[in-house]
Every structure is written in structure tokens, then in C-alpha cells.
Amino acid sequence: MKRAEIRHEEESHQEMIERADETAKLGVDLRDAFDRYKSLGREDLKRLERMEKLARKIRSGAGGSDDDEQLKDPPAQLGQAVARLAEVSGKLGEDVRKTSRLVVSGAVIEGSNELIELIRHIRTFVKP
């Protein structure tokens, strides 16, 4: 029983790492798309939605909860917000990789909260 439990925890941690890697990749893709077109299109909005789902799963896997925290120093322009999104998603990926499956990481929870709030902030710039 104990081995199965450990294996399950290891698999869950590996899934969290994969989610964080995907989130970081989506952040870079969004930044590159914005740099190229100076706006976000329909596909980019789908990427934002996917990032938010991944960030929520990461937060919950790290032991965080659904408390809405206000974004500190929100970017005034869409370009700044997208650049910060890529930066935060990359840092979140690094933090998840550094964290053991046995640890509840405040940095991972804080990073995922910031990412979720940043995505919400970016949506205020984009009209569907």
C-alpha cells in the first residue's frame, strides 16, 4: 500500500511539472505572438484559458486554495502584461521543478495566484 501511495505522489508531482512546463511554453508563445502582431487573437485567448486552467491545477496540487488575490502593480499596457505573463509563467515552471513532492511551496502557490490574476488582467485589454 505504501509503495502505491508513493508512486501515486511521484506521478502527481511529475504531472505538476508537465503542467508548469506547458504553462511556461504557452507564456512564451503568447509573448512571441504579441510581439509579431501587436495584439492577441482568438487562438491566443484559447492559450490564456488553457494557462489559467493549468495554473489552477498547479495551485491546487501545491496545496493552495481559491482565494482571489489582487494583482500587485498591474501593467498599464497589454504588451507589458504579456511580457510579465511570460516571465511569471517561466518562473513558476522553475519553482515547480525545484520543489519536492513532499513540500508545500509558498512560492508555487504565490506564482500560480499571480499568473491567474495576470490572465484576468490581460482579458480586460482584449475585446472578444
Side-chain angles (χ1 to χ4, degrees):
M1 283 294 263
K2 193 68 172 169
R3 286 184 190 158
E5 185 179 322
I6 291 170
R7 190 173 338 113
H8 176 70
E9 288 175 1
E10 288 172 349
E11 289 171 358
S12 295
H13 183 66
Q14 185 60 38
E15 287 174 4
M16 198 156 86
I17 290 172
E18 290 169 5
R19 287 182 188 119
D21 289 344
E22 184 180 352
T23 301
K25 183 185 178 326
L26 288 169
V28 169
D29 291 347
L30 280 166
R31 184 190 61 211
D32 292 346
F34 182 81
D35 288 346
R36 195 169 324 134
Y37 301 113
K38 301 299 180 209
S39 67
L40 297 177
R42 184 178 304 157
E43 287 299 314
D44 300 323
L45 294 177
K46 288 180 183 178
R47 287 184 186 130
L48 278 174
E49 187 174 318
R50 176 73 180 149
M51 280 183 82
E52 185 174 7
K53 286 180 184 177
L54 290 169
R56 287 180 186 282
K57 287 180 180 179
I58 291 168
R59 179 179 64 188
S60 116
S65 64
D66 287 340
D67 58 345
D68 289 332
E69 190 175 299
Q70 291 297 322
L71 188 62
K72 298 173 190 161
D73 190 31
Q77 297 176 343
L78 181 57
Q80 294 170 338
V82 172
R84 184 165 160 192
L85 180 80
E87 178 185 325
V88 169
S89 63
K91 182 166 179 357
L92 178 62
E94 291 173 14
D95 289 344
V96 169
R97 283 196 170 282
K98 291 178 189 174
T99 304
S100 161
R101 67 178 171 82
L102 304 172
V103 175
V104 173
S105 172
V108 170
I109 294 169
E110 186 177 308
S112 57
N113 280 337
E114 183 177 2
L115 190 62
I116 291 166
E117 290 304 313
L118 200 49
I119 290 168
R120 288 180 182 164
H121 184 67
I122 288 173
R123 285 189 183 129
T124 64
F125 291 110
V126 182
K127 305 268 192 289

